[in-house]
């Protein structure tokens, strides 16, 4: 493989690793980045291990970074912090009210709501879809039905 081709591959994988709308795309990309030991790879793996909101992505990025003997700028081993999406209840309330208002929704329609939610805040949608897995629809419906009155 030529150096130019490898650089292009790494650039594409880094783009996928930064895709905030799909934790699955990020996870797959970081697994592939393990085969490319470059300064850019180091930076993106450490960044994801430190800051990603999906715990599975953080964990895998840290694991790969450690297998590749990458360290933080302080020279320390990459460690995964506690599981925290960094979203507060008020973040969900604000977004759900915004989506409801923009859709002018009289009756709740899960599919319509999910579509708007995913385009309004794709990162939050992706993170919560990961967190709630097969109970994601139920979580949305419960949050929506229990929205505080404005």
């Amino acid at each position: 493989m030529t150096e130019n081709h490898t650089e292009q591959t790494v650039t594409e994988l880094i783009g996928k690793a930064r895709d905030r709308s799909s934790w699955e795309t990020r996870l797959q990309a970081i697994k592939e980045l393990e085969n490319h030991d470059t300064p850019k790879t180091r930076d993106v793996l450490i960044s994801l291990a430190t800051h990603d909101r999906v715990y599975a992505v953080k964990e895998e990025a840290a694991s790969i970074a450690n297998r590749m003997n990458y360290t933080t700028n302080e020279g320390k081993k990459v460690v995964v912090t506690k599981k925290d999406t960094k979203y507060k209840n008020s973040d969900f309330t604000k977004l759900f009210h915004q989506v409801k208002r923009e859709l002018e929704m009289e009756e709740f329609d899960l599919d319509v709501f999910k579509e708007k939610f995913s385009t309004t805040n794709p990162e939050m949608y992706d993170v919560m879809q990961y967190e709630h897995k097969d109970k994601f629809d139920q979580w949305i419906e419960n949050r929506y039905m229990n929205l505080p009155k404005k």
Side-chain angles (χ1 to χ4, degrees):
M1 205 183 287
T2 67
E3 187 175 323
N4 196 22
H5 181 69
T6 301
E7 189 175 322
Q8 182 179 359
T9 301
V10 169
T11 300
E12 288 173 12
L13 289 172
I14 287 173
K16 290 178 180 179
R18 291 183 174 151
D19 179 357
R20 295 286 175 211
S21 66
S22 174
W23 67 269
E24 292 158 319
T25 298
R26 290 194 308 282
L27 189 60
Q28 184 59 42
I30 61 176
K31 287 178 180 180
E32 292 179 40
L33 280 171
E34 186 170 13
N35 301 316
H36 304 280
D37 188 3
T38 71
K40 290 179 182 179
T41 300
R42 176 196 169 279
D43 292 344
V44 78
L45 286 172
I46 291 173
S47 176
L48 290 171
T50 312
H51 302 293
D52 203 275
R53 292 179 181 223
V54 172
Y55 193 73
V57 173
K58 285 179 87 150
E59 197 171 45
E60 187 66 19
S63 177
I64 291 170
N66 287 320
R67 283 197 299 271
M68 295 177 82
N69 295 316
Y70 292 159
T71 58
T72 64
N73 290 337
E74 296 80 31
K76 296 180 181 174
K77 180 180 173 183
V78 180
V79 293
V80 179
T81 56
K82 66 180 181 162
K83 187 175 182 177
D84 180 10
T85 66
K86 297 180 176 67
Y87 290 118
K88 300 176 281 203
N89 278 333
S90 60
D91 297 330
F92 301 122
T93 300
K94 181 179 177 182
L95 180 107
F96 275 51
H97 273 299
Q98 176 186 346
V99 170
K100 182 179 179 181
R101 183 178 58 252
E102 289 176 7
L103 289 173
E104 299 176 355
M105 200 174 253
E106 295 296 322
E107 293 291 317
F108 180 70
D109 182 323
L110 180 63
D111 293 329
V112 172
F113 190 88
K114 284 172 62 176
E115 177 66 30
K116 183 67 173 173
F117 179 5
S118 70
T119 57
T120 302
N121 193 326
E123 183 179 13
M124 182 188 286
Y125 184 92
D126 182 60
V127 170
M128 298 320 292
Q129 189 177 39
Y130 169 78
E131 288 295 318
H132 293 286
K133 296 183 177 43
D134 57 350
K135 294 184 179 179
F136 181 59
D137 290 356
Q138 182 181 357
W139 174 80
I140 289 175
E141 194 167 337
N142 288 340
R143 294 270 344 175
Y144 183 89
M145 296 306 174
N146 292 303
L147 278 174
K149 303 290 184 235
K150 272 199 146 185

